[in-house]
Amino acid sequence: MAEPDPASQRESMVAWQLAGRGITDPAVLAAMRRVPRENFVPAALQEFAYEDAPLPIGGGQTISQPYVVALMAAEARLSPQDHVLDIGTGSGYAAAVLAQIVARVDTVELRPELAEQARERLADYPNVDVHIGDGTLGWPARAPFDAILAAAGGPEVPAAWREQLAPGGRLIMPVGASRDRQRLVRVVRTAEGGFSQEDLGGVRFVPLIGVQGWQGADEDPAPPADPRRASGSAAPPREALGGRIRAAAEPLNDLEEAAASGVFDRWSKHRVVLLGEASHGTSEFYQARAAITRRLIEHHGFNIVAVEADWPDAAAIDRYVRLGAHRPDAPSAFRRFPTWMWRNTDVYAFVEWLRAHNASRAESARAGFFGLDLYSLSDSMAAVLAYLERVDPQAARVARERYGCLTPWQKNPAVYGRAVVSDAYRGCEAEVVAQLSDLLARRMEYAHTETAGYFDAAQNARLVASAERYYRAMYYGSAESWNLRDTHMFETLAQLIQAHGPGAKAVVWAHNSHIGNAAATEMGRVRGELNIGQLCRERYGDEAALVGMGTHTGTVAAAHDWGGPMEVMEVVPSREDSYEFLSHASGIPRFLLDLRAPRNEALARELSEPRLERYIGVIYRPQTELMSHYADASLPDQFDAWLWMDRTRAVEPLAATSGTGMPETYPFGV
């Protein structure tokens, strides 16, 4: 998928991360548009430059997230003639932004190596001077200052800064009794020489080190190992929590035996059971989901398997497992990147089992296999047209004309999104929505002719409409496009449940990031993202079970870049400040931890303190694993249960089995 250029990313950042969250100062927004943040982060992290998150820059320091830089500049109420002191130069990014707004910036950095790097980056900003020294003492040779901004948190406002603030000057800094949790404050020096102070809200910054910072404070705890998150001083030690997990966990020596013994029957009364995975390329996650799903289908009447896959691809599998007629002209399933995610030996085995299970049952009692995702724009358009050609050729001609707006872009819809956002091409929303509306309006007429075909066509039409919005939204910000995608997946699930009647029960296979409650993670709390799990919790309440999965180490099938070749990579052992490491510390190779069981209530409270959790998708970059693949979460609020497999292995793509007797024909034909 094509990536937007940095200028587009800056526009999206300003629109969604800044203006969308209440930053209104036009000078600040203009400055954030002009300064290329990618020039102020390490080369390995440049692709994350416009994420709404701090990034490491070396020496235990970070470049603040864009929103915080903009918030501090806006709260300082800057004027073009101001002289500003920036404490904690770091990468130089904040100084560059300030230099776009004010007449002069002096910036002070304690670490010489960071200061020298920043000086090079700021060479094109002649109104910025970089100094090396103890920033807690300010820079008296250049005082007084109209504003002082500090990118590090101290126990109190340094006296030197108060003294160097001009009458009417504003000082913005994080203050708190903890080195890693503070309140952002604004201090104003009055004309009479006094000071007023205003609380601007909770923040987390790296500690302010120096004579009038933490080095000179009474308390000097060790700095946090990870500047992205607070250490949580009230949390129990890792060793103690690992032991408590061991005591509460239910060991699973064999998944099939566990399923047969009824371990997973605790979810039998639920309407929806969502089964996650910590990566898209780990065999044990697929095997666990298959074992649980087989049990729920065979013994508890579940009749929907809904997966994080495109609707047309899954429809080919559904026809196969429900013994429907093969369509030789239909494209083979899962032929696009990442093919190994569904075209692998574990999925093949489950599909064959589901077909055999359905073979002895009446057509109305067969369990189906359905896709929830929206990346199949071209195939979904083709499916709508093929259906209408069969039932209403005149309507097919109208639909072909409407979809003609999208036809030039159907092989690369990301380019369509960029063209519309840049005003180089008109949007196609009206056409695709009109087509969906017409199809839904003629539901009774079409469904009477071909019931199953109508539902499939209607869902494909919904997908086209959702995809059109998605590809436009992806250039305005990750949260907006993510929310559109997960809302589409949830709505597809809800429509499947409704279509299958009052007794319908569904199992969902998707990544942990989709099935855990986003409101309990950094996704929801910081980035404003929602997901299927959160929407299921809101719609179905306790009738939805959210099950996450994790691993410590092993191998995984993934690519280094989108569209790149699949590789079997080593999974870096989990970080010591993560939930995965706590699970590893239990010493149990494979277990189920029921976070809703009354006996585990105390443990769930102890585990609720946010920690890092690892997410590996189809892309894995071990060299930047912290920033690429970890995020804060509260595990007991995110999931109802946690399925742990300490050492795991990569999935085996079907292509790798050629010649061993496994047929690569329908529904996985090439």
Side-chain angles (χ1 to χ4, degrees):
M1 183 181 298
E3 293 292 335
D5 60 78
S8 297
Q9 291 179 307
R10 280 197 294 280
E11 286 296 330
S12 297
M13 174 189 74
V14 171
W16 294 96
Q17 298 179 30
L18 308 185
R21 294 169 65 182
I23 304 295
T24 59
D25 188 317
V28 172
L29 297 177
M32 298 292 285
R33 281 192 182 95
R34 287 194 293 266
V35 178
R37 193 169 188 251
E38 68 273 14
N39 292 349
F40 293 86
V41 302
L45 298 177
Q46 285 185 348
E47 67 177 288
F48 307 108
Y50 293 98
E51 293 292 321
D52 190 26
L55 298 173
I57 57 173
Q61 302 302 296
T62 63
I63 175 175
S64 296
Q65 71 189 91
Y67 174 74
V68 169
V69 173
L71 175 66
M72 293 180 69
E75 294 294 351
R77 299 171 182 171
L78 302 171
S79 299
Q81 69 276 12
D82 281 347
H83 179 193
V84 174
L85 177 63
D86 172 47
I87 304 295
T89 311
S91 69
Y93 177 66
V97 171
L98 294 172
Q100 298 285 329
I101 305 171
V102 302
R104 184 175 178 183
V105 179
D106 282 283
T107 180
V108 184
E109 173 56 52
L110 180 65
R111 293 163 177 78
E113 68 279 7
L114 291 181
E116 291 303 330
Q117 291 175 6
R119 188 173 282 124
E120 293 179 9
R121 294 181 178 126
L122 292 165
D124 294 332
Y125 299 83
N127 58 338
V128 178
D129 287 328
V130 179
H131 310 286
I132 300 173
D134 181 351
T136 68
L137 301 178
W139 203 253
R142 296 286 181 89
F145 300 99
D146 299 297
I148 300 176
L149 286 77
E156 59 185 5
V157 179
W161 297 0
R162 293 177 181 267
E163 294 170 1
Q164 294 172 33
L165 202 59
R170 293 80 58 203
L171 186 155
I172 311 293
M173 76 165 291
V175 175
S178 166
R179 287 177 56 140
D180 47 23
R181 291 182 186 271
Q182 310 96 12
R183 307 293 295 181
L184 192 66
V185 301
R186 175 171 51 222
V187 176
V188 179
R189 185 167 191 170
T190 65
E192 296 77 20
F195 296 91
S196 64
Q197 183 166 315
E198 180 181 355
D199 189 314
L200 302 175
V203 290
R204 282 189 285 179
F205 278 79
V206 295
L208 177 67
I209 303 300
V211 173
Q212 295 187 26
W214 279 109
Q215 183 176 321
D218 294 332
E219 180 189 3
D220 189 21
D226 177 8
R228 286 171 41 131
R229 58 184 302 274
S231 60
S233 58
R238 287 191 300 270
E239 295 77 9
L241 273 176
R244 289 170 200 173
I245 291 174
R246 181 181 180 85
E250 301 170 52
L252 304 174
N253 295 323
D254 182 272
L255 287 168
E256 297 297 338
E257 290 179 4
S261 68
V263 168
F264 307 122
D265 289 357
R266 69 194 71 204
W267 304 312
S268 63
K269 303 299 184 184
H270 288 74
R271 190 86 184 274
V272 185
V273 176
L274 298 99
L275 303 176
E277 60 181 359
S279 87
H280 284 319
T282 298
S283 180
E284 284 80 0
F285 297 150
Y286 288 89
Q287 292 175 10
R289 293 191 299 199
I292 296 168
T293 303
R294 285 195 293 266
R295 178 73 180 184
L296 295 176
I297 290 174
E298 279 188 305
H299 296 277
H300 302 294
F302 281 71
N303 57 352
I304 297 168
V305 181
V307 304
E308 184 188 341
D310 293 330
W311 179 272
D313 290 303
I317 306 300
D318 184 58
R319 287 192 296 273
Y320 181 74
V321 301
R322 288 203 282 173
L323 286 76
H326 177 39
R327 298 178 185 169
D329 58 334
S332 61
F334 310 120
R335 68 194 188 282
R336 294 182 299 276
F337 177 90
T339 56
W340 67 90
M341 182 174 165
W342 296 109
R343 189 189 285 269
N344 63 60
T345 57
D346 296 312
V347 173
Y348 177 88
F350 176 76
V351 166
E352 289 299 316
W353 173 87
L354 188 54
R355 178 180 170 88
H357 169 82
N358 282 335
S360 60
R361 284 159 175 76
E363 184 175 352
S364 61
R366 294 170 183 167
F369 188 94
F370 306 97
L372 301 177
D373 224 331
L374 50 57
Y375 289 125
S376 58
L377 181 65
S378 179
D379 287 349
S380 290
M381 288 165 55
V384 173
L385 294 173
Y387 170 77
L388 289 175
E389 287 288 1
R390 293 198 304 273
V391 302
D392 190 343
Q394 177 59 35
R397 286 192 287 273
V398 175
R400 186 169 285 105
E401 182 176 342
R402 285 171 172 162
Y403 284 165
C405 179
L406 279 173
T407 299
W409 317 95
Q410 59 184 326
K411 298 302 182 185
N412 196 349
V415 178
Y416 161 77
R418 186 185 302 178
V420 173
V421 168
S422 64
D423 292 328
Y425 186 78
R426 70 177 184 85
C428 301
E429 181 179 18
E431 287 87 344
V432 298
V433 170
Q435 182 54 48
L436 173 59
S437 298
D438 278 3
L439 199 59
L440 296 177
R442 305 185 72 173
R443 176 180 179 275
M444 298 304 296
E445 175 187 346
Y446 289 162
H448 178 75
T449 304
E450 191 179 337
T451 303
Y454 172 79
F455 185 83
D456 180 73
Q459 185 52 41
N460 275 300
R462 289 188 182 96
L463 191 153
V464 173
S466 294
E468 190 276 336
R469 292 196 303 273
Y470 172 81
Y471 286 110
R472 280 189 289 115
M474 66 182 290
Y475 287 93
Y476 285 110
S478 57
E480 177 73 7
S481 56
W482 174 280
N483 291 347
L484 277 170
R485 181 186 175 207
D486 269 57
T487 298
H488 170 84
M489 289 199 283
F490 168 75
E491 290 175 348
T492 302
L493 173 65
Q495 287 153 5
L496 282 167
I497 293 172
Q498 182 179 13
H500 281 73
K505 298 165 77 173
V507 182
V508 176
W509 293 14
H511 197 275
N512 284 349
S513 57
H514 294 294
I515 68 96
N517 188 343
T521 70
E522 184 178 311
M523 293 167 53
R525 290 194 302 257
V526 178
R527 302 199 295 268
E529 296 173 347
L530 49 77
N531 65 1
I532 306 170
Q534 178 180 342
L535 294 171
C536 279
R537 179 68 77 221
E538 293 170 358
R539 171 76 64 87
Y540 300 111
D542 292 338
E543 289 189 300
L546 282 54
V547 184
M549 301 187 190
T551 186
H552 173 63
T553 190
T555 59
V556 66
H560 284 291
D561 297 289
W562 186 266
M566 190 213 84
E567 300 179 35
V568 175
M569 305 184 200
E570 294 290 330
V571 177
V572 177
S574 57
R575 291 175 56 88
E576 293 186 6
D577 48 356
S578 69
Y579 282 112
E580 285 82 0
F581 192 84
L582 284 181
S583 302
H584 171 68
S586 73
I588 306 178
R590 184 175 294 181
F591 65 74
L592 175 68
L593 180 62
D594 191 334
L595 296 163
R596 295 293 174 264
R599 67 181 183 278
N600 294 335
E601 185 177 346
L603 174 61
R605 284 197 301 270
E606 290 181 301
L607 290 173
S608 64
E609 176 73 19
R611 293 175 180 269
L612 291 178
E613 182 182 319
R614 180 159 56 189
Y615 303 83
I616 300 173
V618 296
I619 307 301
Y620 185 41
R621 292 174 177 149
Q623 68 276 16
T624 59
E625 193 181 56
L626 173 60
M627 298 312 303
S628 305
H629 301 291
Y630 278 97
D632 273 345
S634 176
L635 195 77
D637 299 317
Q638 182 185 13
F639 300 116
D640 297 316
W642 178 243
L643 189 56
W644 177 253
M645 287 153 277
D646 197 74
R647 178 173 285 275
T648 51
R649 58 186 174 82
V651 294
E652 185 177 356
L654 278 180
T657 65
S658 183
T660 63
M662 179 171 291
E664 284 199 28
T665 57
Y666 173 68
F668 292 102
V670 294

